[in-house]
């Protein structure tokens, strides 16, 4: 899985509940709220603290391993409460390989100190997180990202993108991007990375499921050469609060898009994940957990024109290729 979170908080994205449901914001986590939480995951404060569930995460990872999972890329970066010692402990306890992310999340999580840093300083801090260890630990990150960007991309986010490209040019490492919620956002990020020496062939563009819907636009973007990530498998949301114009696809629609990209020749560039970042998606709370793709999506892919060989590329070869330092 190339895009997951095990320990993080998403407080920065708290969204008030719709009118009439205000009480739900502070309501305790109860069985009868599970459907409501699936529809409004960012409107209950407690739901945003995956960091409180480290014990449950141990069971989640053991279940993932039992289902055939070996490795998880943990995309939590500075700004959303990255906790590297907790990740190391989870990896040790379960035997699942966890690859941690370096760098910074979106603008509203940048501190004043981060905003004042030069591109050179930001580059050094990212390089340091990969070569020597992050957050005062000796735990080294294995990817840069998810690097957070919004739409339009802010000045501070542009500086982080330039630094990401410079760091990648030095290290030959994988990069993963969180684009803004506009069909033009992924291409704009790629242009900034390219102009600054980034290697697009070793860059994953996340969250395409909620970003590019038109097939022509998708192929145009695919042609730019990044990995194409569909990473919101398992999410079910009628009114996507971060952009009400977006119709969040179902898992069946995601699989259909994967089959389309495979048919168009992009089987070497597709990666997939769940991007679990709220509590309600854990099996402890009736959610789909980290094994949903392995257990439910792969069989579906095989009935929709995607071969086992292509599934293996998407789940094994492409991530392996992306994650290997040049
Ligand atoms: C930190 C998790 C994250 O950024 N997830 C992306 C959610 S969405 O922008 O695709 O809704």
């Amino acid at each position: 899985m190339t895009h997951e979170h095990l320990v993080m908080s998403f407080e920065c994205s708290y969204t008030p509940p719709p009118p009439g449901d205000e009480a739900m914001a502070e309501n305790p986590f109860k069985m009868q709220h599970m459907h409501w939480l699936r529809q409004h995951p960012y409107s209950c404060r407690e739901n945003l603290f995956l960091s409180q569930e480290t014990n449950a995460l141990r069971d989640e990872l053991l279940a993932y391993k039992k289902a055939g999972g070996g490795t998880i890329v943990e995309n939590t970066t500075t700004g959303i409460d990255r906790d590297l010692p907790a990740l190391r402990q989870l990896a040790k306890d379960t035997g699942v390989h966890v690859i941690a992310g370096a760098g910074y999340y979106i603008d509203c999580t940048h501190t004043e100190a981060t905003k004042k840093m030069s591109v050179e300083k930001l580059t050094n801090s990212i390089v340091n997180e990969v070569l020597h260890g992050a957050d005062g630990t000796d735990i080294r990150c294995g990817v840069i990202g998810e690097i957070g960007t919004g739409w339009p991309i802010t000045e501070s986010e542009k500086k982080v993108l330039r630094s990401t490209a410079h760091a990648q040019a030095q290290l030959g490492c994988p990069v993963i991007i969180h684009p803004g919620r506009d069909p033009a956002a992924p291409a704009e990020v790629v242009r900034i990375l390219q102009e600054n020496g980034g290697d697009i062939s070793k860059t994953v563009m996340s969250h395409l499921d909620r970003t590019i819907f038109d097939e022509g636009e998708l192929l145009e973007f695919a042609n730019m050469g990044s990995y194409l990530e569909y990473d919101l498998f398992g999410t079910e949301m009628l009114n996507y609060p971060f952009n009400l114009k977006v119709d969040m696809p179902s898992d069946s629609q995601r699989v259909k898009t994967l089959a389309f990209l495979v048919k168009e020749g992009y089987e070497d560039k597709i990666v997939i994940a769940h991007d679990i970042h709220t509590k309600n998606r854990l099996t402890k709370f009736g959610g789909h957990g980290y094994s949903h793709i392995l257990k439910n999506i792969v069989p579906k892919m095989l009935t929709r024109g995607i071969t086992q060989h292509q599934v293996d590329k998407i789940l094994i070869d492409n991530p392996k290729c992306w994650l290997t330092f040049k």
Side-chain angles (χ1 to χ4, degrees):
M1 298 299 130
T2 50
H3 195 134
E4 302 296 346
H5 299 270
L6 303 175
V7 187
M8 65 163 280
S9 81
F10 209 32
E11 230 182 333
C12 61
S13 293
Y14 172 75
T15 309
D21 286 353
E22 287 81 1
M24 294 298 286
E26 312 297 339
N27 246 339
F29 237 68
K30 287 185 186 155
M31 196 66 181
Q32 70 253 39
H33 297 149
M34 292 302 132
H35 175 73
W36 190 91
L37 280 168
R38 275 198 290 278
Q39 297 302 324
H40 309 283
Y42 311 115
S43 301
C44 167
R45 290 190 192 279
E46 193 182 333
N47 201 29
L48 307 176
F49 292 94
L50 205 52
S51 49
Q52 296 169 343
E53 296 300 332
T54 316
N55 282 336
L57 254 302
R58 201 165 285 114
D59 295 336
E60 294 278 350
L61 288 183
L62 290 172
Y64 174 68
K65 195 171 158 189
K66 199 167 165 207
T71 304
I72 279 181
V73 180
E74 214 283 3
N75 285 262
T76 306
T77 43
T78 300
I80 44 176
D81 289 358
R82 181 175 57 189
D83 185 344
L84 295 170
L87 297 187
R88 173 154 64 185
Q89 197 57 49
L90 282 169
K92 277 189 179 161
D93 290 350
T94 64
V96 172
H97 298 287
V98 178
I99 297 169
Y104 302 84
Y105 193 56
I106 57 174
D107 184 286
C108 64
T109 70
H110 296 180
T111 61
E112 282 314 307
T114 301
K115 286 186 180 173
K116 283 191 189 130
M117 280 164 81
S118 64
V119 171
E120 192 184 0
K121 278 219 165 104
L122 287 165
T123 307
N124 289 341
S125 99
I126 294 173
V127 168
N128 199 48
E129 290 186 347
V130 175
L131 290 185
H132 303 296
D135 302 337
T137 74
D138 62 351
I139 302 169
R140 291 172 290 147
C141 298
V143 302
I144 301 177
E146 63 184 295
I147 295 299
T149 59
W151 189 255
I153 306 171
T154 69
E155 279 313 307
S156 190
E157 289 167 348
K158 282 183 187 167
K159 269 201 299 176
V160 171
L161 284 174
R162 287 185 205 118
S163 314
T164 296
H166 294 169
Q168 189 187 34
Q170 281 184 45
L171 299 168
C173 66
V175 161
I176 182 162
I177 302 292
H178 165 110
R181 299 173 184 102
D182 186 283
E188 182 61 16
V189 169
V190 164
R191 273 189 286 274
I192 294 172
L193 294 174
Q194 265 168 342
E195 281 165 14
N196 288 277
D199 181 351
I200 304 310
S201 74
K202 284 194 72 63
T203 298
V204 167
M205 189 55 65
S206 306
H207 313 323
L208 287 177
D209 357 18
R210 55 83 166 144
T211 313
I212 302 182
F213 296 91
D214 179 82
E215 286 187 346
E217 281 179 40
L218 180 58
L219 291 181
E220 214 172 295
F221 177 70
N223 207 25
M224 295 183 90
S226 76
Y227 285 98
L228 310 166
E229 190 174 75
Y230 286 77
D231 51 30
L232 295 165
F233 274 100
T235 50
E236 189 190 317
M237 219 180 288
L238 285 173
N239 295 295
Y240 176 56
F242 302 145
N243 184 349
L244 290 171
K245 287 191 204 145
V246 162
D247 283 330
M248 189 63 94
S250 66
D251 280 354
S252 295
Q253 288 167 313
R254 289 185 180 96
V255 171
K256 212 171 170 183
T257 305
L258 298 185
F260 167 71
L261 285 170
V262 165
K263 182 173 73 63
E264 293 293 331
Y266 289 97
E267 64 191 51
D268 293 332
K269 297 309 273 185
I270 301 169
V271 287
I272 58 176
H274 312 91
D275 185 20
I276 292 182
H277 53 273
T278 51
K279 287 187 187 188
N280 67 301
R281 296 175 67 195
L282 301 179
T283 52
K284 172 182 173 184
F285 299 110
H288 54 77
Y290 296 82
S291 310
H292 174 56
I293 287 179
L294 295 177
K295 287 188 157 172
N296 307 317
I297 301 301
V298 167
K300 180 86 179 176
M301 286 163 81
L302 293 171
T303 65
R304 291 295 183 271
I306 303 175
T307 65
Q308 184 63 55
H309 180 62
Q310 288 161 338
V311 166
D312 289 347
K313 280 191 175 190
I314 292 168
L315 290 179
I316 303 167
D317 303 332
N318 298 348
K320 194 192 277 181
C321 196
W322 169 55
L323 289 165
T324 304
F325 281 47
K326 262 191 177 167

